[in-house]
Amino acid sequence: MTTIGEGLQAVRARIVRAAQAAQRDPEAVRLLAVSKTQPAERVLEAWRLGQRAFGENYVQEAIDKMDRLTLLTGNGPASDAIEWHLIGPLQSNKTRQAAERFAWIHTVDREKIARRLSEQRPAGLPPLNILLQVNISGEATKAGVAPDEAPALAHALATLPGLRLRGLMAIPEPTPDTTTQRARFAAVRILFETIAASGLALDTLSMGMSADLDSAVAEGSTLVRIGTAIFGERNQTQSDPGGLQ
Ligand SMILES: *Cc1c(COP(=O)(O)O)cnc(C)c1O
């Protein structure tokens, strides 16, 4: 079994290789460690190895870990702080907790949810970073706005005072075929560039998981969301994007 340290190192090396192959700066790709189903101890272990950004799928599971970990990680400089990202679907009855506790939400795909998040973001905190989730493969069961509706929704979200729209997020359908992977990610990047060119200051493209991070980086990802390749196989499958979303 590989350790978390080995997993982190291998993933960072993969990011560097993929970025260099695409003649991109590896520093332009951030690593989000997806810690869903992992106990707080394993998040702490990754944190001790320098990892700072963590992604969770369920609000309550995340808050339990936040409460345990702020005691252990919260006493140092700001650069030591954990940056928590919500990457799972968000129901409207969970928006208040999400707005209060997370730094980023990747799964905004409706104006109603965005309005609630904006209203519920505490005044003392900086605006909540959000990503607009796009259903790039057109799967009927997947979350995300249809690509042709994304520009108008992005402009609507960008006006909400409690939020800062940073870019797009996508989960293409899983496939081992790298040509298809790259075509899907390229479509997300083109949509991102189109929306940015229409006057929104976007800087974040959240795409790429353990199985397809290389294709995602080749197509311009700036934030890869990696669980299995860092922490090993999860023993629950219910939080997998193919499942509940
Ligand atoms: C679980 C999950 C990931 C990480 O998946 P791995 O295959 O374990 O890297 C990334 N993004 C989302 C939205 C997820 O739910």
Side-chain angles (χ1 to χ4, degrees), residues 123-141:
L125 294 180
L128 178 61
N129 297 295
I130 60 159
L131 297 172
L132 176 55
Q133 183 176 358
V134 180
N135 184 357
I136 204 67
S137 306
E139 290 167 276
T141 56

Side-chain angles (χ1 to χ4, degrees), residues 83-85 98-105 108 114 116-131 157-166 203:
E83 184 182 272
W84 293 99
H85 294 231
E100 288 174 356
R101 302 300 298 268
F102 285 89
W104 288 72
I105 314 269
V108 176
R116 291 175 66 101
L117 288 170
S118 177
E119 283 158 16
Q120 293 168 346
R121 181 66 167 176
L125 294 180
L128 178 61
N129 297 295
I130 60 159
L131 297 172
L157 303 188
T159 66
L160 297 173
L163 309 182
R164 181 169 168 212
L165 177 66
R166 300 290 295 265
D203 61 9

Side-chain angles (χ1 to χ4, degrees), residues 34-157:
V34 174
S35 47
K36 63 181 173 204
T37 78
Q38 305 294 338
E41 290 71 25
R42 289 173 66 77
V43 177
L44 185 63
E45 196 177 333
W47 177 83
R48 289 208 174 101
L49 295 163
Q51 181 63 32
R52 293 292 177 268
F54 290 89
E56 289 281 340
N57 286 54
Y58 296 103
V59 173
Q60 193 53 53
E61 179 187 337
I63 287 176
D64 292 344
K65 286 178 213 180
M66 292 173 190
D67 287 345
R68 294 193 54 197
L69 288 167
T70 38
L71 295 171
L72 297 164
T73 64
N75 302 318
S79 58
D80 277 358
I82 294 185
E83 184 182 272
W84 293 99
H85 294 231
L86 182 68
I87 63 169
L90 180 58
Q91 273 86 40
S92 42
N93 63 347
K94 291 279 165 53
T95 53
R96 180 173 299 279
Q97 285 169 300
E100 288 174 356
R101 302 300 298 268
F102 285 89
W104 288 72
I105 314 269
H106 289 223
T107 47
V108 176
D109 62 1
R110 278 178 291 158
E111 194 172 338
K112 181 179 154 229
I113 295 274
R115 287 193 181 280
R116 291 175 66 101
L117 288 170
S118 177
E119 283 158 16
Q120 293 168 346
R121 181 66 167 176
L125 294 180
L128 178 61
N129 297 295
I130 60 159
L131 297 172
L132 176 55
Q133 183 176 358
V134 180
N135 184 357
I136 204 67
S137 306
E139 290 167 276
T141 56
K142 271 258 169 74
V145 65
D148 59 345
E149 291 166 15
L153 184 52
H155 279 272
L157 303 188

Side-chain angles (χ1 to χ4, degrees), residues 210-241:
S210 294
D212 56 15
L213 93 84
D214 319 82
S215 295
V217 170
E219 294 297 344
S221 172
T222 70
L223 186 58
V224 290
R225 310 179 307 268
I226 309 298
T228 311
I230 295 172
F231 293 107
E233 292 291 337
R234 288 178 291 277
N235 43 20
Q236 292 160 259
T237 53
Q238 64 175 53
S239 329
D240 284 337

